[in-house]
Amino acid sequence: MAEAGRTRLASALIANGSLSSQWLPAYTNVPRHLFVPDRIWPGHADGVRQGRAVDRRTDPAAWWGAVYSDVPLTTQWDNGKHQGDEPGVMPSTSNSMPTMVFSMLGAVPLTPGARVAEIGTGTGWTSALLCERVGAANVVTIEVDEESAAGAQRRLARVGYAPLTVVGDGAEGYPQGAPYDVVMATCSVGDVPHAWVEQSTVGGVILAPWGPDYGGEALVRLTVAADGTASGPFLSSSAFMRLRQQRAVRPDSSAYLSAPWPADGERGASALSPEALGPWSVMFAIGVQVPGVFPLVERYDDGTYTLWIHDTAVTSWATADWEPDRTEYETVQSGPRRLWDEVGAAWRWWEDQGRPGFERFGLTVTPTGQTVWLDTPDRPVPVRRASRRAYSTSPNSKRGRRGCALRAEGASRD
Ligand SMILES: C[S@@+](CC[C@H](N)C(=O)[O-])C[C@H]1O[C@@H](n2cnc3c(N)ncnc32)[C@H](O)[C@@H]1O
């Protein structure tokens, strides 16, 4: 069963371009199943929410099937606090989607002998692949979760690898092992820690999933310069769990309402469809321009939905109702920030630029901050703060609208 599954998955990864001939020996020598715990929550390629746990001891066929599928496998929820077979609220450790793992490995210059720091050891599978390619003595892997780090170390030892496994905050890197030719993060960031730049060689490469608060995320590959900056292009879409210390606070919509919806909101109408804002790359373009803002979608049984937009300061919100066959959509905005207007202006900028995909964007990181640019580093993406109004309210009531569950969009691939 394992052999056939492994071969089938290898063929799929070769066919989609993620597994190169350079990495095929590592794929063969470091079987994924040796790094997957008995109890997992397999992801779905189409982003459908995970179901109940699959346990190797009670359902080996499902377990092997998941391990040799191109899906991420969640191995821990809610920082280990969640118990039981149902999924928890937030995946906190996983064995990443194979396409993602090999796309990342193939995107960095990992010749034998290169020194590598991996941020986010997880199950240890990527660490083992790195060891196989550059030698375990050249790999430092950092994991914030003690239990995950211990499990990974055990699995790595079982296949004969002993990279330096550090338990700690990967945002600080590991200066004792520096300088690194490659720093590779397998958890996403909204701010690239400057420690990664400082601990890299000049000409070294930092590869990380990067995404704004709003959503949308892509791998960015930065090359480190002698002046303490790092710059480079976004490569392709990704969807990783966040570096723990950079997780966004996303209060429920009810936290924003001073009374039942529409509360004190100002009604309006917009020709911009909420549907236009949904694609992952559009969310990215909006999020870069409108930091500190995030969406939630409230779906109804008849197929319509409300797009809620919130600021992380919990002062402002907006809703836009999507219904089929409309040319105008009802909007409501409340608070000092007119969030529908801000997001709409960001969408129009994206459209004016010819609807750029991830690969036209890039990022520059300096000791004092970071800038996202379009096409070339001298064209920074505008960061918007639309009209602010004088306002006073304490929007803290717990009354939600129509009582539906709210959820963020975005399919995990880590
Ligand atoms: C997608 S998983 C990594 C998958 C892993 N590379 C593998 O092959 O199994 C992301 C990991 O990043 C870890 N992480 C989150 N924040 C971190 C931090 N500040 N420092 C180090 N690791 C962190 C999580 O605990 C989680 O194990």
Side-chain angles (χ1 to χ4, degrees):
M1 185 165 12
E3 221 30 66
R6 277 175 79 185
T7 307
R8 222 177 12 253
L9 180 58
S11 304
L13 299 177
I14 291 166
N16 73 16
S18 58
L19 181 58
S20 65
S21 53
Q22 203 178 47
W23 280 94
L24 188 56
Y27 175 90
T28 308
N29 295 339
V30 182
R32 190 186 195 196
H33 66 261
L34 296 180
F35 289 87
V36 177
D38 286 345
R39 210 149 152 275
I40 52 174
W41 287 262
H44 297 273
D46 57 5
V48 172
R49 190 166 160 72
Q50 286 116 304
R52 289 168 64 84
V54 168
D55 197 310
R56 181 182 190 164
R57 293 154 295 197
T58 52
D59 193 351
W63 187 89
W64 281 102
V67 168
Y68 285 111
S69 296
D70 192 17
V71 296
L73 307 168
T74 297
T75 55
Q76 184 201 74
W77 295 88
D78 306 326
N79 300 344
K81 293 195 189 86
H82 176 75
Q83 302 292 325
D85 286 344
E86 294 303 326
V89 177
M90 182 179 43
S92 46
T93 304
S94 70
N95 182 292
S96 300
M97 180 182 185
T99 285
M100 212 62 232
V101 171
F102 287 101
S103 300
M104 290 182 78
L105 293 171
V108 283
L110 284 167
T111 44
R115 291 217 29 98
V116 188
E118 180 198 20
I119 317 300
T121 314
T123 62
W125 188 39
T126 310
S127 324
L129 292 162
L130 287 167
C131 291
E132 179 70 16
R133 180 97 185 117
V134 302
N138 292 312
V139 178
V140 175
T141 180
I142 310 169
E143 171 58 54
V144 74
D145 186 81
E146 214 168 307
E147 204 182 309
S148 301
Q153 207 165 16
R154 237 184 358 258
R155 291 182 206 104
L156 283 157
R158 223 182 289 146
V159 296
Y161 294 125
L164 183 58
T165 308
V166 178
V167 178
D169 179 5
E172 295 169 9
Y174 186 70
Q176 298 89 324
Y180 303 105
D181 300 300
V182 172
V183 174
M184 191 168 125
T186 58
C187 48
S188 75
V189 292
D191 277 305
V192 175
H194 199 260
W196 299 355
V197 181
E198 290 160 18
Q199 293 170 29
S200 292
T201 53
V202 172
V205 170
I206 298 168
L207 183 73
W210 188 97
D213 294 329
Y214 193 84
E217 184 196 295
L219 294 177
V220 70
R221 183 178 55 204
L222 308 171
T223 302
V224 175
D227 62 357
T229 67
S231 192
F234 285 92
L235 304 178
S236 55
S237 164
S238 63
F240 275 80
M241 53 190 70
R242 202 63 144 188
L243 185 105
R244 238 183 232 193
Q245 293 75 0
Q246 291 191 16
R247 281 180 191 156
V249 178
R250 291 186 154 212
D252 187 89
S253 296
S254 60
Y256 291 75
L257 295 172
S258 54
W261 182 93
D264 52 9
E266 194 175 279
R267 286 177 182 276
S270 171
L272 177 61
S273 167
E275 285 284 272
L277 311 182
W280 203 226
S281 58
V282 180
M283 291 176 76
F284 174 89
I286 291 171
V288 168
Q289 296 174 72
V290 191
V293 171
F294 66 95
L296 291 168
V297 175
E298 181 177 13
R299 295 191 183 279
Y300 310 115
D301 293 342
D302 63 2
T304 65
Y305 65 87
T306 297
L307 173 65
W308 287 80
I309 301 171
H310 305 92
D311 69 340
T312 50
V314 201
T315 67
S316 306
W317 58 267
T319 58
D321 291 332
W322 181 83
E323 291 171 20
D325 306 322
R326 298 291 299 259
T327 51
E328 281 217 322
Y329 303 88
E330 187 189 317
T331 61
V332 178
Q333 304 192 74
S334 168
R337 292 180 71 175
R338 301 280 104 169
L339 293 179
W340 181 255
D341 298 345
E342 289 191 36
V343 165
W347 182 85
R348 274 186 294 281
W349 175 88
W350 171 79
E351 190 172 62
D352 289 347
Q353 305 308 313
R355 302 182 167 221
F358 290 117
E359 66 293 341
R360 279 186 58 195
F361 289 93
L363 182 74
T364 298
V365 177
T366 71
T368 53
Q370 55 179 10
T371 307
V372 177
W373 39 264
L374 184 71
D375 297 328
T376 51
D378 59 353
R379 290 187 61 203
V381 174
V383 177
R384 299 166 190 283
R385 291 262 186 258
S387 56
R388 285 173 172 276
R389 300 189 172 192
Y391 203 80
S392 70
T393 184
S394 57
N396 263 328
S397 153
K398 289 287 175 202
R399 280 163 288 188
R401 182 188 177 207
R402 292 189 236 179
C404 289
L406 304 177
R407 66 182 177 86
E409 302 290 279
S412 165
R413 273 164 275 157
D414 66 353

